[in-house]
């Protein structure tokens, strides 16, 4: 059973000269305990879409179900009860600056009607969870960006939600701090079984965190699949561009200019064949030489994707035979233009 089910959801914003469709006929499902990501460039409609999941943004059309309950028409207490099940983490933390960290967490607990006599214990528990016990009486201004986001996560978890929505939760952080936040979210997902929906424009975040993901462009979900599927075999142009920027190898023109007598090839592997001894096999089989110019292997969901740039030299017929044989054993082979 899907924890979240979105069917044909659209969001229209009225403007002076008509209306603007920020989200257009989007459908997807998120399973219980899954980390599901939505990736897209700025303006793709990601934030608008994720805010429909707790009705911070009302959809103009379509159905949204949580635990098979239709939520789009909820109001009053029913809507408040729904939001108790859904925590949200924001890009810019949204902490109350003139309150201590403990008071920030207490504010969320009070808003969620958490029993007053248990709030102190819960605050201590949340701070242990994000490893910031010593910051309890500090103010947000004294914290680093990563520490602020940890408090943002603690606040989102205050009332024991079942779903966590992350709206660009790492885009204001540096690379090292981003990694720490991703590891924390993975631990929360695994230890607490919380379903996470994470939106980002950073595909590298998806590679490390998501179980499955969708790609948005101009308000539409254009592609969806496991994270490995998206990286290993992207179908849409936008997705291929995203993946290419993340996995591509760039050979300096100065290097290409020295490679004048042979063939410069880029090979892409995936799955179980990534680590096969292909190069040594080809050299033994054909009277050619192969130089490895550049190589990269990424592991996504414990499966490998490899990119290898090689330079073949030898007799023309032998090079062609070797290239034809190599092509049978890789996912993709292309000739790199030396003048490009």
């Amino acid at each position: 059973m899907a924890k979240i089910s979105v069917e044909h959801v659209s969001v229209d914003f009225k403007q002076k000269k008509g209306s603007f469709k920020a989200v257009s006929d989007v459908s997807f499902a998120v399973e219980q305990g899954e980390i599901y990501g939505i990736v897209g460039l700025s303006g793709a409609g990601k934030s608008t879409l994720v805010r429909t999941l707790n009705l911070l943004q009302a959809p103009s059309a379509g159905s949204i179900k949580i635990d098979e309950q239709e939520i789009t028409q909820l109001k009053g207490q029913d809507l408040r009860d729904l939001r108790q099940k859904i925590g949200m983490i924001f890009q810019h933390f949204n902490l109350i600056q003139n309150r201590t960290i403990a008071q920030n967490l207490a504010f969320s607990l009070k808003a969620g009607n958490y029993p007053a006599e248990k709030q102190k214990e819960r605050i201590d528990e949340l701070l242990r969870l994000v490893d910031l016990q010593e910051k309890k009486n500090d103010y947000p201004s004294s914290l680093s960006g990563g520490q602020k986001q940890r408090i943002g996560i603690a606040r989102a978890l205050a009332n024991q939600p079942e779903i966590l929505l992350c709206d660009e939760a790492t885009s204001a952080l540096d690379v090292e701090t981003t990694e720490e936040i991703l590891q924390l979210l993975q631990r929360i997902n695994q230890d607490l079984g919380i379903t996470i929906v994470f939106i980002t424009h950073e595909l590298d975040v998806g590679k490390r965190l998501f179980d499955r993901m969708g790609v948005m462009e101009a308000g539409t979900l254009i592609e969806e699949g496991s994270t490995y599927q998206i990286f290993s075999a992207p179908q849409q142009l936008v997705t291929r561009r995203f993946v290419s920027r993340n996995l591509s190898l760039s050979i300096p023109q100065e290097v290409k200019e020295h490679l004048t007598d042979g063939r410069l090839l880029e090979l892409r592997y995936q799955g179980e064949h990534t680590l096969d001894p292909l190069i040594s096999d080809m050299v033994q089989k054909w009277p050619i030489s192969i130089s490895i110019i550049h190589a990269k292997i990424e592991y996504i969901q414990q499966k490998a994707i490899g990119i290898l740039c090689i330079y073949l030299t030898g007799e023309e017929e032998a090079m062609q035979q070797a290239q034809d044989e190599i092509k049978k054993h890789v996912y993709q082979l292309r000739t790199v233009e030396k003048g490009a």
Side-chain angles (χ1 to χ4, degrees):
M1 180 183 76
K3 184 69 175 178
I4 303 170
S5 179
V6 175
E7 297 180 1
H8 305 294
V9 163
S10 294
V11 178
D12 299 332
F13 290 126
K14 293 187 184 212
Q15 298 178 325
K16 289 182 179 179
K17 298 182 179 179
S19 65
F20 167 69
K21 195 171 283 293
V23 176
S24 179
D25 196 25
V26 169
S27 298
F28 65 95
V30 182
E31 299 302 316
Q32 168 65 44
E34 184 175 35
I35 302 179
Y36 184 90
I38 301 172
V39 176
L41 297 173
S42 296
K46 309 182 301 296
S47 291
T48 302
L49 177 62
V50 81
R51 288 165 187 265
T52 66
L53 302 183
N54 58 2
L55 296 185
L56 287 179
Q57 173 62 56
S60 305
S63 166
I64 301 172
K65 294 179 181 177
I66 294 179
D67 292 327
E68 297 193 322
Q69 177 193 13
E70 179 64 50
I71 70 166
T72 54
Q73 302 303 317
L74 293 181
K75 291 183 174 58
Q77 187 59 48
D78 291 335
L79 179 56
R80 288 190 288 274
D81 290 343
L82 167 74
R83 288 176 175 161
Q84 288 290 94
K85 298 170 63 173
I86 304 173
M88 193 157 188
I89 304 169
F90 301 92
Q91 177 180 0
H92 296 296
F93 324 126
N94 289 6
L95 301 178
I96 304 171
Q97 295 301 311
N98 62 353
R99 297 196 183 187
T100 66
I101 299 310
Q103 289 169 338
N104 267 269
L105 297 178
F107 181 83
S108 292
L109 291 168
K110 289 174 186 175
N113 294 318
Y114 202 88
E117 67 277 10
K118 295 182 179 181
Q119 287 183 15
K120 184 178 182 302
E121 180 184 353
R122 180 61 176 161
I123 289 169
D124 290 339
E125 181 182 346
L126 289 166
L127 290 173
R128 281 195 301 272
L129 179 65
V130 298
D131 197 25
L132 286 176
Q133 302 95 308
E134 74 282 2
K135 301 296 183 181
K136 181 176 181 178
N137 296 314
D138 291 1
Y139 286 87
S141 60
S142 70
L143 304 185
S144 69
Q147 290 171 335
K148 289 176 183 177
Q149 194 56 289
R150 284 174 177 267
I151 298 303
I153 292 171
R155 180 187 56 195
L157 296 173
N159 291 292
Q160 300 172 313
E162 300 172 15
I163 296 169
L164 201 55
L165 306 180
C166 304
D167 187 357
E168 297 278 10
T170 58
S171 62
L173 307 175
D174 59 44
V175 174
E176 184 175 344
T177 307
T178 291
E179 185 61 36
E180 293 173 358
I181 295 299
L182 296 182
Q183 290 176 5
L184 175 59
L185 290 173
Q186 283 179 318
R187 178 159 55 86
I188 288 168
N189 170 255
Q190 293 164 4
D191 293 351
L192 304 181
I194 291 178
T195 303
I196 297 177
V197 179
F198 193 115
I199 70 165
T200 183
H201 64 275
E202 301 170 304
L203 198 58
D204 197 53
V205 169
K207 178 175 64 180
R208 300 201 299 275
L209 184 66
F210 302 160
D211 297 315
R212 288 189 308 121
M213 58 189 291
V215 180
M216 285 193 74
E217 180 186 25
T220 303
L221 195 69
I222 61 171
E223 188 164 354
E224 186 183 25
S226 74
T227 302
Y228 184 79
Q229 288 172 333
I230 294 293
F231 273 86
S232 63
Q235 300 300 306
Q236 300 297 321
L237 178 60
V238 168
T239 314
R240 291 199 296 270
R241 286 175 176 168
F242 263 123
V243 171
S244 177
R245 285 197 295 270
N246 194 267
L247 293 181
S248 64
L249 297 177
S250 178
I251 301 174
Q253 186 60 36
E254 292 82 358
V255 173
K256 292 181 185 179
E257 288 172 356
H258 292 287
L259 307 176
T260 57
D261 299 324
R263 300 185 181 189
L264 184 58
L265 305 176
E266 181 187 273
L267 319 179
R268 289 185 179 247
Y269 308 75
Q270 57 176 267
E272 60 186 17
H273 299 298
T274 305
L275 303 177
D276 289 350
L278 179 62
I279 301 305
S280 59
D281 288 351
M282 293 301 102
V283 171
Q284 292 174 22
K285 189 170 183 179
W286 308 104
I288 59 171
S289 295
I290 299 180
S291 301
I292 296 176
I293 305 300
H294 211 336
K296 183 177 184 179
I297 295 179
E298 293 275 6
Y299 289 91
I300 299 172
Q301 296 181 321
Q302 292 77 54
K303 292 181 283 189
I305 298 174
I307 307 174
L308 184 65
C309 286
I310 61 173
Y311 184 56
L312 269 65
T313 54
E315 294 292 332
E316 186 66 28
E317 182 179 356
M319 284 196 296
Q320 185 60 52
Q321 290 172 329
Q323 181 172 329
D324 292 343
E325 183 70 16
I326 290 170
K327 190 172 183 178
K328 296 175 184 178
H329 294 274
V330 299
Y331 169 68
Q332 185 181 87
L333 180 149
R334 75 177 183 92
T335 301
V336 178
E337 297 296 332
K338 296 178 201 150

